[in-house]
Every structure is written in structure tokens, then in C-alpha cells.
Amino acid sequence: MERDLQGTGITVGQRAILEALSEAKSATAPMLTDWLDMKRQFVARELKALLEAGMIEKTPNPDRARSFLYRLTPESAELIAAIREREVRTFAAFSDQFTEDELLAFRKIMEALYANMLAGENRDTQQEDGSPS
């Protein structure tokens, strides 16, 4: 993924934040932290870097006096759109070498793997907080 971002001036973490803001239009830092399941300090550091780079804007949050809303700048919205478009083209070129049945089988395997990983994380969390597994 880092290779795909070469020349864009953004990191993988920053891209995740830009993607989330692209979908949500605006969000607070705690919202981004929850959505992305990232540490608060990491999100704060990446937001600061994105602000300094002019990739996002910060405005007062009308719902909370000491909170801010973050949103994409027009330039970063174009950048995210260009990154997505390039990835779609790359994936389309890659997937052309497989049949539809092979792609569906791969998707089924990945969904099962993801569900199994989530179940394992849930078991680990329950064991950490003393809940029965």
C-alpha cells in the first residue's frame, strides 16, 4: 500500500484519515479514532501533519465548544479520488486474469478468514476483561 502512495506526499495512516473524511464529509478526532480503530495520539499526530500540509481544514464544532470538525480540502478530495481511480484500474487489470468463479471463491475465503479473525479478537478481549470465553 505504501508503494501505491509514492509521489502523493501522504502516508498510509493519513490516507486512512482522508478516506474516512471523504466518506463522512466532516468528523471530529474522536470520531476518526473510533471509525479507524486507531490510537488517539496517532490520529492527533496525523491530523496535525495533514493540517500543516494543507490537506484538511479544521473548523469549530457547533455541537461542542472545545471540539473541532475536520474536512478535506478540494485538493485532497481530488487526490483521494485519483488514488481510488488508479487502484480500481490496477485491480481491474489484475482481476482480468481470473474467472468470475475464482474471484467469488477468493471472496468467500477472505470473508471466512475475516470473520474468524474477528471471532478470535472477540475471544481475546473477553478473556482480557475476565468475561467467559
Side-chain angles (χ1 to χ4, degrees):
M1 185 173 261
E2 284 182 46
R3 188 182 76 231
D4 293 338
L5 295 174
Q6 285 181 345
T8 64
I10 62 172
T11 66
V12 173
Q14 291 169 348
R15 187 250 171 97
I17 290 170
L18 294 175
E19 286 278 355
L21 290 174
S22 175
E23 295 298 318
K25 305 302 179 217
S26 68
T28 64
M31 291 165 80
L32 291 166
T33 299
D34 290 343
W35 294 340
L36 299 170
D37 195 25
M38 294 177 170
K39 294 191 182 290
R40 182 184 57 80
Q41 297 87 345
F42 178 78
V43 170
R45 187 173 57 244
E46 296 300 332
L47 286 171
K48 182 179 180 204
L50 287 166
L51 280 166
E52 290 172 356
M55 300 293 284
I56 59 173
E57 300 170 336
K58 176 170 101 170
T59 58
N61 183 351
D63 297 331
R64 292 194 73 148
R66 295 179 7 176
S67 177
F68 295 96
L69 289 172
Y70 297 91
R71 68 173 179 241
L72 299 180
T73 62
E75 296 80 16
S76 62
E78 287 179 18
L79 176 62
I80 285 299
I83 290 170
R84 286 177 175 166
E85 186 178 314
R86 184 178 66 223
E87 288 174 346
V88 166
R89 284 193 316 268
T90 301
F91 183 74
F94 173 77
S95 65
D96 283 347
Q97 62 187 316
F98 302 102
T99 67
E100 185 176 345
D101 287 342
E102 289 171 327
L103 292 171
L104 289 172
F106 176 74
R107 178 179 176 190
K108 184 176 179 181
I109 291 168
M110 292 306 296
E111 286 173 348
L113 179 62
Y114 182 68
N116 190 28
M117 289 170 56
L118 280 179
E121 286 178 10
N122 289 338
R123 279 192 305 272
D124 293 344
T125 302
Q126 288 175 350
Q127 290 174 353
E128 287 174 6
D129 63 5
S131 304
S133 51

